[in-house]
């Protein structure tokens, strides 16, 4: 069984308070999403393997450590996941980036796939899927299904706000995938929006309505 980690850090709590506020504008919303992604990335990469390397400081020779192989990839779920990419790449700049396009059908709330472009060696990479919102869990489950069909096995999912309903659906569908959550909210409303949530993440990041 994989881990479910709910971030318990004052910096993340403070920044989530900013993106929840309805008066927060596009610029600040986008910047804050990126900063939260960077902080979550720090936690999600905690167990990356390290290699010992011999180096020389200005004083003497010593053994330092570096991340093994550096075979990482970030995969945002379009559109809103794009908002988390820059923050992730600030922490892991050598990572490749794949894209999965999914939108929720407004009537059925089921995910509809419209794009998939992944690094050709994605099956060998440690993959960090990013999407700010885990609501019904349909999009997250579908994205990880797609990645597994491409042979990916080392998978982590990072979201900023999750509903309990989505956490249950995701962990039952993909018990092997670590899930990192910025804040666990109360419930979904009748339209599949997270309560209290932050509204429509894609619209708030890109200034659409
Ligand atoms: C949002 C969000 C997730 C999805 C979560 O995307 O970014 O991808 O909804 O909902 P779910 O857990 O019920 O599947 P949306 O479909 O609004 O598309 P967008 O990012 O293009 O706005
Ligand atoms: N997608 C969003 O952007 N917000 C929600 O509350 C639920 C799904």
């Amino acid at each position: 069984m994989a881990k479910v980690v709910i971030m318990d850090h004052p910096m993340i709590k403070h920044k989530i308070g900013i993106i929840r506020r309805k008066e927060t504008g596009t610029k600040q919303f986008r910047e804050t999403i990126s900063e939260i992604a960077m902080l979550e990335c720090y936690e999600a990469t905690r167990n990356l393997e390290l290699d010992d390397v011999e180096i020389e400081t200005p004083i003497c020779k010593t053994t330092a450590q570096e991340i093994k192989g550096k075979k990482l990839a970030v995969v945002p779920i379009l559109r809103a996941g794009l908002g988390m990419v820059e923050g992730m790449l600030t922490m892991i700049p050598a990572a490749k980036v794949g894209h999965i396009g999914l939108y929720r059908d407004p009537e059925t709330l089921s995910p509809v796939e419209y794009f998939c472009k992944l690094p050709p060696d994605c099956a060998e990479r440690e993959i960090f899927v990013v999407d700010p919102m885990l609501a019904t869990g349909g999009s997250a489950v579908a994205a990880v299904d797609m990645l597994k069909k491409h042979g990916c096995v080392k998978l982590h999912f990072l979201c900023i706000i999750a509903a309990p309903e989505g956490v249950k659906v995701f962990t039952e569908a993909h018990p092997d995938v670590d899930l990192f959550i910025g804040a666990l909210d109360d419930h979904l409303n009748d339209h599949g929006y997270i309560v209290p949530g932050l509204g429509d993440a894609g619209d708030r990041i890109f200034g659409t309505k």
Side-chain angles (χ1 to χ4, degrees), residues 15 19 26-41 80-91 132 160 205:
K15 288 176 192 297
I19 57 174
T26 304
K27 177 174 183 290
Q28 192 183 18
F29 189 90
R30 203 183 280 153
E31 287 168 357
T32 311
I33 286 271
S34 188
E35 289 165 6
I36 296 167
M38 190 175 71
L39 295 168
E40 285 198 45
C41 181
L82 287 174
M84 295 177 72
V85 173
E86 192 188 317
M88 296 292 293
L89 294 180
T90 302
M91 298 297 285
I160 294 180
I205 290 169

Side-chain angles (χ1 to χ4, degrees), residues 20-95:
R20 285 193 195 279
R21 288 167 191 261
K22 64 179 183 188
E23 66 271 21
T24 298
T26 304
K27 177 174 183 290
Q28 192 183 18
F29 189 90
R30 203 183 280 153
E31 287 168 357
T32 311
I33 286 271
S34 188
E35 289 165 6
I36 296 167
M38 190 175 71
L39 295 168
E40 285 198 45
C41 181
Y42 180 76
E43 183 59 33
T45 50
R46 178 180 287 283
N47 293 325
L48 287 184
E49 289 180 54
L50 295 166
D51 271 333
D52 285 349
V53 285
E54 299 311 312
I55 61 153
E56 202 168 343
T57 73
I59 310 298
C60 67
K61 290 190 176 175
T62 189
T63 304
Q65 293 185 307
E66 62 182 26
I67 290 168
K68 205 175 191 133
K70 296 198 176 79
K71 286 227 161 200
L72 308 177
V74 179
V75 177
I77 302 178
L78 307 181
R79 289 175 303 164
L82 287 174
M84 295 177 72
V85 173
E86 192 188 317
M88 296 292 293
L89 294 180
T90 302
M91 298 297 285
I92 44 173

Side-chain angles (χ1 to χ4, degrees), residues 39-156:
L39 295 168
E40 285 198 45
C41 181
Y42 180 76
E43 183 59 33
T45 50
R46 178 180 287 283
N47 293 325
L48 287 184
E49 289 180 54
L50 295 166
D51 271 333
D52 285 349
V53 285
E54 299 311 312
I55 61 153
E56 202 168 343
T57 73
I59 310 298
C60 67
K61 290 190 176 175
T62 189
T63 304
Q65 293 185 307
E66 62 182 26
I67 290 168
K68 205 175 191 133
K70 296 198 176 79
K71 286 227 161 200
L72 308 177
V74 179
V75 177
I77 302 178
L78 307 181
R79 289 175 303 164
L82 287 174
M84 295 177 72
V85 173
E86 192 188 317
M88 296 292 293
L89 294 180
T90 302
M91 298 297 285
I92 44 173
K96 298 273 194 266
V97 181
H99 295 86
I100 288 180
L102 292 171
Y103 69 87
R104 292 200 311 178
D105 181 289
E107 301 297 322
T108 65
L109 300 182
S110 295
V112 181
E113 177 187 333
Y114 63 90
F115 191 73
C116 182
K117 182 81 179 168
L118 300 171
D121 59 353
C122 65
E124 295 153 38
R125 290 183 177 268
E126 185 123 9
I127 309 271
F128 297 87
V129 187
V130 292
D131 189 328
M133 309 305 277
L134 180 70
T136 65
S139 304
V141 169
V144 172
D145 282 343
M146 287 163 75
L147 287 159
K148 287 184 174 174
K149 274 193 198 126
H150 283 82
C152 302
V153 283
K154 288 178 274 177
L155 290 150
H156 315 264

